[in-house]
Amino acid sequence: MKLLRFPLIAFTLFLIIGILIAHCFTIPTRYSFILLIVISLVTLISSFLKSFRTSFAFYLLIFSCFICCGIVTYNLQDEQRWELHYTKIQNDEPSIITFEITKRLKPSKFHHKYEAYVHSIDSLNTKGTILLNIKKDSLTKAVSVGNRYYAYAALDSIRRSLNPYQFNYKTYLQKQYIYRQLTLKPDALIVIDSSKTSIHSYANRFRERITNNLKGSSFNSDELSIIQALLLGQRQDISKDLYTNFSKAGVIHILAVSGLHVGIILFILQFLFSPLDRLKRGNYIKMVIIVQLLWCFAIIAGLSPSVTRAVTMFTVVAIAINLKRITNIYNTLAISAFFILLFKPMFLFDVGFQMSYAAVLAIVSFQPLLYNSIKRPKFIILDKAWQIATVTLAAQVGVLPLSLYYFHQFPGLFIVSNLIIIPALGIILSLGMLVIVLSYFDVLPELLVKVYSSILSTMNNYVEWISAQESFLFKEISFNELQVVSCYLLILITYRFLKSINTRNLILGFVCLILVQVSFLYSLLKVKQDRFIVFNKNRYSVIGIQHDSKLKLHHNLQGDVRSEHLVTNYKIGNRIDTIESDSIDYVYQFEKQNILIIDSLGLYNVSSFKPDYVLLRNSPKLNLNRLIDSLQPKQIIADASNYKSYVSRWSATCLHKKIPFHSTYEKGAFIID
C-alpha cells in the first residue's frame, strides 16, 4: 500500500481525521477510549499473523487506531468535558472566584485582557480557563502573570458575533477552551499569593525585566514593540498602524515568532556551539544544549501555537543534524505536527498553524522547481536574491488560498518587501539576541542601542513605504471553503505535473481547473438572492435591502457607511458589487411583507396597510400593549439604537402578549430572506 511507504505522514493524516470527527460529532470520551483499546488489541494480535499483515484489512485496523487516537486526544483535551469544569456549576449569581493569571493578551480600548485559570468558585474546586477583562485605570498597576487572585463577581457568557460574516470572537475563544469571561474593576482584584512560582511566572518575570530595562534606553515605542514581538513573542503592544503596515506589505509573518525565526536562531546556535564538535561525543552535548535553548526560547515567548510548532519542528531538525542522520523534510513536518496535535488538538483550527504548514510544504515542494527553472546566476548576490524570491513566491503559493479565505486581501508587492526583510531578519535577530542578553544584565551600551534602533527604524520606514502603495494591495476579496479546497487540489496537481509531465497529470490538472471554475460559479450563484437586514450597530440604525449583488443601506450614521466594518464584512461575505446609501423611511415593503418603522416620535397611526413587522428605533415612548392590539404585527424588532431598559420592557410585554420579539442586542441582525 503506497501510503505506508511514508508511515509518519499517514499516521498524522489519520490522527487529523480523528480530530475532525471528534470536532464535528459529539462522541462520549468513555466510548472512544474503549474503542481505541479494542482496536489496538485487535491490531496487536493481528500483527502476529503473517498472512494478515499484508492485507488491506490490517492497514485499515492501523489507520482506525490513529483515527480513534485523534478522537480520544480531542476529548481528553476538551476542558468543558472535565468533571470539575466551571461550566458544570450552573450559577449566574456573584461568587467568590479564585483564579491564576496565565497569559497577557492584547488589550482593547477599555480593558486590559488576560487568560486566567479558575481554581475554585466559592468552596467548590473547579478547573478551566476564562477570559479576564480589567477596566483600564491610569492609576492602577497591571496584574502579574503567575499571581493568584480572588474576586467577588459572576462569570458572564461571551457574546457571539451580532452581524452577518462578522468575526466570531466567541467561537475563536472556544477553540482556546475559553467559554466564560470575567469583567472587573481594578480594585475588585485581591491578591492571594504572589510568591507562587511556575514556568509562566518565571518567563513573565524574565520578559518584564528585559522590557523595563529596554524602556530605560532610547528605543521608541514602535521599535520596542518590534523587539518584544521578534525576540520575546509578545505582540500585545504593537500599534494598530504598525500592524496594518506590515499586513499590507505582505510581511506580517515576521511579527509572529514562527519557523523562519526559529530556523535562523537554530542556525546561529549551531554556529556558536560548533567548537563542541571537536570534543568526543561533542555533537551529543551540542544537540542537548541547543534543544534546551530552543525550548527555553519557546517558554520565554509564551508557548504560543506558532512558537510551539516551530520549536517542535526544529527540535527534530536539530537532532537529525547533530546525529548526522539523513532526514526527510516531509517526515520532519509530519513528526512535529503529530506530536503537537497529540497534545494540543485544537491547534489544528488555528490560522497560524494552517498557514505555517502550508507555507513550509509549498517551499520544500515548489522552491527547488522555481529555483531551477532558470539558469543559475553567476553573481552570488543575484543568486541569493533569486533564492529569496523563489522561497517567497513558493510560500505565497502555499498560503494564498488560506490568506484570501481568512483575510480577504493579497499584497501585490510581497516579493519586493520580502527581498529586503528576510535577509535583514538574520541580522536583526542576531543583534537582538545580544541586546536581550545585555539588557537582562542591565549592561546595554548606548552605541548598540543607537545602531539597533536605526536598523529597526529603517525596516519600519521601508514597510510603511511599501504599505503606502495602495494600488498594489488587492482588498475585499470574497473566498469561501469550497474555493479553498478546489485551489489546493489545483496546487497539488500542478506540483505533480511539474514533477512528472505526462498525460494523466495533464488531465487531472484540467479537471481541477474545472473544479475551481465551478466553485467560483457556485459562489456567484449562491448570492443571487434578496434580503432585508436590520443590522446591529450600537446607538445607530442601519437597514439593508439586498437585490442580488446590490445593497442599499438606509441609516442615520455620520460619514461614509461603506467604511463601517459591518458593511465591509457583509460586502465580502455576500459578494456585493454596488452599495447605495439613503435615509431611513417609515415604511418598507419586501417580498409582500410590510415593515413599519417607529422612531423616537412614537407615531404609528397607519390605516392604509397592516404591518407584518414593526421595527422600534431611537427609544420611542409608546404603549407597546396598545400598539400590538391595534396593529397586530407578526413580530416586533428592536435595534441597537434603543435604550436597553426600553428593550427589556418591550421583551417582557411581547412575552406576555405571546408575540415574537427580536432584539439585535441579544440575537444579532434581523434578516428576512
Side-chain angles (χ1 to χ4, degrees):
M1 197 173 181
K2 288 185 178 181
L3 198 56
L4 281 183
R5 293 179 186 174
F6 310 97
L8 293 172
I9 298 172
F11 297 159
T12 304
L13 287 175
F14 283 97
L15 181 77
I16 290 172
I17 291 172
I19 293 170
L20 291 172
I21 290 172
H23 182 70
C24 297
F25 306 99
T26 302
I27 302 173
T29 306
R30 182 184 302 174
Y31 296 151
S32 61
F33 194 70
I34 292 171
L35 186 62
L36 175 61
I37 293 173
V38 170
I39 295 178
S40 299
L41 287 174
V42 173
T43 306
L44 181 63
I45 294 169
S46 302
S47 65
F48 293 101
L49 304 174
K50 289 185 178 180
S51 60
F52 189 73
R53 278 205 304 257
T54 57
S55 67
F56 176 76
F58 183 68
Y59 296 141
L60 196 62
L61 282 173
I62 294 175
F63 296 150
S64 298
C65 281
F66 284 94
I67 290 174
C68 290
C69 186
I71 296 171
V72 169
T73 191
Y74 181 93
N75 289 341
L76 290 177
Q77 291 295 326
D78 187 355
E79 294 184 3
Q80 205 169 14
R81 294 173 183 254
W82 295 352
E83 198 72 27
L84 297 177
H85 196 260
Y86 59 78
T87 54
K88 305 292 184 184
I89 302 172
Q90 302 299 323
N91 185 10
D92 296 329
E93 298 298 322
S95 308
I96 297 176
I97 303 173
T98 306
F99 54 88
E100 179 185 340
I101 307 294
T102 56
K103 186 178 181 181
R104 184 169 74 96
L105 304 175
K106 190 172 181 66
S108 64
K109 187 176 181 180
F110 301 106
H111 295 92
H112 296 290
K113 290 180 175 289
Y114 302 87
E115 280 186 17
Y117 193 84
V118 177
H119 290 282
S120 67
I121 297 178
D122 288 336
S123 58
L124 298 174
N125 291 330
T126 58
K127 295 180 179 181
T129 309
I130 60 171
L131 175 66
L132 176 64
N133 305 301
I134 301 177
K135 293 182 179 178
K136 287 186 175 179
D137 188 336
S138 59
L139 301 178
T140 304
K141 186 179 179 181
V143 301
S144 297
V145 173
N147 285 0
R148 189 173 288 197
Y149 300 86
Y150 79 84
Y152 182 72
L155 291 174
D156 299 321
S157 298
I158 299 167
R159 295 184 70 186
R160 64 180 180 85
S161 58
L162 297 175
N163 286 303
Y165 309 105
Q166 183 181 349
F167 172 69
N168 197 327
Y169 191 50
K170 181 176 182 178
T171 303
Y172 169 78
L173 289 178
Q174 285 177 346
K175 291 176 181 177
Q176 317 295 318
Y177 303 117
I178 299 173
Y179 304 96
R180 298 285 188 275
Q181 63 180 344
L182 193 62
T183 303
L184 302 170
K185 292 181 179 179
D187 56 6
L189 277 171
I190 301 174
V191 180
I192 296 177
D193 184 9
S194 59
S195 61
K196 187 176 181 295
T197 57
S198 64
I199 291 177
H200 294 295
S201 60
Y202 277 128
N204 185 65
R205 287 177 204 159
F206 182 87
R207 291 192 298 264
E208 283 186 345
R209 176 168 178 169
I210 291 171
T211 302
N212 291 333
N213 289 344
L214 288 175
K215 284 180 179 177
S217 54
S218 56
F219 291 112
N220 63 36
S221 58
D222 281 345
E223 293 162 0
L224 184 59
S225 66
I226 291 293
I227 295 173
Q228 289 177 296
L230 293 180
L231 296 153
L232 301 178
Q234 305 299 300
R235 296 190 296 168
Q236 300 92 336
D237 297 324
I238 296 176
S239 67
K240 186 177 179 181
D241 290 339
L242 186 62
Y243 188 89
T244 302
N245 288 342
F246 274 78
S247 178
K248 288 181 177 180
V251 289
I252 190 65
H253 56 277
I254 76 162
L255 294 182
V257 177
S258 59
L260 178 63
H261 303 71
V262 179
I264 292 172
I265 291 171
L266 174 60
F267 176 80
I268 295 169
L269 293 176
Q270 282 285 131
F271 174 76
L272 291 176
F273 291 102
S274 58
L276 291 175
D277 289 331
R278 300 172 185 173
L279 302 175
K280 186 179 180 180
R281 303 289 182 183
N283 59 325
Y284 289 97
I285 299 171
K286 185 175 76 169
M287 178 191 71
V288 172
I289 293 172
I290 289 174
V291 170
Q292 288 179 340
L293 288 175
L294 286 177
W295 281 102
C296 285
F297 173 74
I299 292 168
I300 291 168
L303 287 173
S304 66
S306 61
V307 176
T308 304
R309 64 175 170 264
V311 171
T312 302
M313 183 172 69
F314 280 99
T315 295
V316 179
V317 173
I319 293 171
I321 290 173
N322 289 287
L323 294 183
K324 305 294 189 294
R325 299 287 176 86
I326 298 173
T327 180
N328 182 295
I329 186 62
Y330 296 106
N331 283 332
T332 302
L333 289 171
I335 292 170
S336 64
F338 184 87
F339 283 105
I340 289 171
L341 295 176
L342 192 62
F343 295 101
K344 293 289 184 180
M346 290 303 283
F347 277 11
L348 179 63
F349 307 100
D350 181 77
V351 178
F353 180 92
Q354 296 169 13
M355 296 188 73
S356 176
Y357 277 93
V360 176
L361 283 169
I363 288 170
V364 299
S365 301
F366 281 95
Q367 194 274 338
L369 299 175
L370 293 171
Y371 178 71
N372 295 319
S373 63
I374 65 171
K375 187 177 179 180
R376 184 173 178 175
K378 293 181 179 180
F379 298 102
I380 189 169
I381 295 177
L382 292 177
D383 184 47
K384 293 298 179 184
W386 177 237
Q387 285 183 18
I388 295 170
T390 54
V391 167
T392 304
L393 188 58
Q396 283 294 335
V397 169
V399 302
L400 181 59
L402 287 173
S403 181
L404 294 178
Y405 175 69
Y406 286 114
F407 308 113
H408 308 289
Q409 66 177 26
F410 175 70
L413 293 177
F414 67 91
I415 290 182
V416 177
S417 54
N418 280 277
L419 272 174
I420 302 297
I421 298 297
I422 290 179
L425 191 59
I427 300 171
I428 291 169
L429 289 177
S430 301
L431 279 178
M433 290 170 68
L434 180 61
V435 167
I436 290 296
V437 172
L438 295 177
S439 176
Y440 181 80
F441 295 104
D442 202 15
V443 290
L444 184 62
E446 186 62 27
L447 177 62
L448 181 58
V449 171
K450 289 181 178 179
V451 171
Y452 198 55
S453 176
S454 63
I455 293 172
L456 294 178
S457 178
T458 303
M459 180 183 72
N460 289 344
N461 291 335
Y462 178 71
V463 169
E464 184 180 3
W465 177 79
I466 291 288
S467 68
Q469 315 307 312
E470 292 283 348
S471 57
F472 293 95
L473 179 65
F474 306 98
K475 299 186 292 184
E476 299 180 359
I477 302 171
S478 298
F479 220 73
N480 58 31
E481 296 91 339
L482 184 61
Q483 290 169 316
V484 171
V485 173
S486 62
C487 283
Y488 274 119
L489 284 174
L490 181 61
I491 290 170
L492 178 62
I493 297 302
T494 301
Y495 172 71
R496 286 193 51 167
F497 180 74
L498 293 175
K499 288 285 289 184
S500 178
I501 300 174
N502 55 48
T503 306
R504 181 186 175 188
N505 288 336
L506 183 62
I507 293 171
L508 287 173
F510 278 118
V511 170
C512 286
L513 192 60
I514 291 170
L515 284 175
V516 171
Q517 292 176 326
V518 169
S519 68
F520 276 85
L521 287 173
Y522 174 76
S523 302
L524 290 172
L525 293 173
K526 190 178 177 181
V527 300
K528 299 297 183 182
Q529 58 183 322
D530 293 345
R531 274 182 176 178
F532 180 92
I533 315 109
V534 179
F535 291 98
N536 183 78
K537 175 66 178 175
N538 194 33
R539 296 186 298 172
Y540 295 96
S541 295
V542 181
I543 299 170
I545 301 175
Q546 179 187 348
H547 292 293
D548 293 335
S549 59
K550 296 180 181 179
L551 179 67
K552 188 169 185 178
L553 295 168
H554 301 257
H555 64 95
N556 60 348
L557 289 166
Q558 297 177 353
D560 188 3
V561 68
R562 291 172 295 184
S563 62
E564 291 288 332
H565 286 301
L566 64 90
V567 177
T568 304
N569 292 334
Y570 191 83
K571 176 186 176 182
I572 295 171
N574 241 27
R575 293 182 176 271
I576 301 298
D577 295 329
T578 306
I579 296 178
E580 297 178 357
S581 183
D582 203 349
S583 57
I584 298 174
D585 295 328
Y586 286 100
V587 177
Y588 293 93
Q589 189 173 43
F590 180 81
E591 297 291 330
K592 299 181 181 179
Q593 304 284 322
N594 295 317
I595 302 102
L596 175 65
I597 314 298
I598 301 177
D599 59 14
S600 58
L601 298 176
L603 302 176
Y604 60 90
N605 186 17
V606 291
S607 56
S608 57
F609 75 101
K610 182 179 178 180
D612 297 286
Y613 300 93
V614 173
L615 171 62
L616 305 175
R617 55 175 291 267
N618 281 357
S619 306
K621 294 180 179 179
L622 49 75
N623 187 319
L624 191 58
N625 277 298
R626 189 181 303 161
L627 182 148
I628 293 171
D629 291 337
S630 173
L631 301 180
Q632 296 182 344
K634 293 180 182 178
Q635 190 169 5
I636 303 294
I637 309 152
D639 68 11
S641 66
N642 298 289
Y643 296 131
K644 290 188 177 181
S645 58
Y646 282 37
V647 174
S648 298
R649 188 170 68 247
W650 294 335
S651 178
T653 301
C654 288
L655 182 64
H656 176 71
K657 301 291 285 187
K658 296 181 180 179
I659 182 172
F661 179 76
H662 185 104
S663 167
T664 63
Y665 276 122
E666 299 175 358
K667 299 180 181 180
F670 178 78
I671 300 174
I672 304 174
D673 288 316

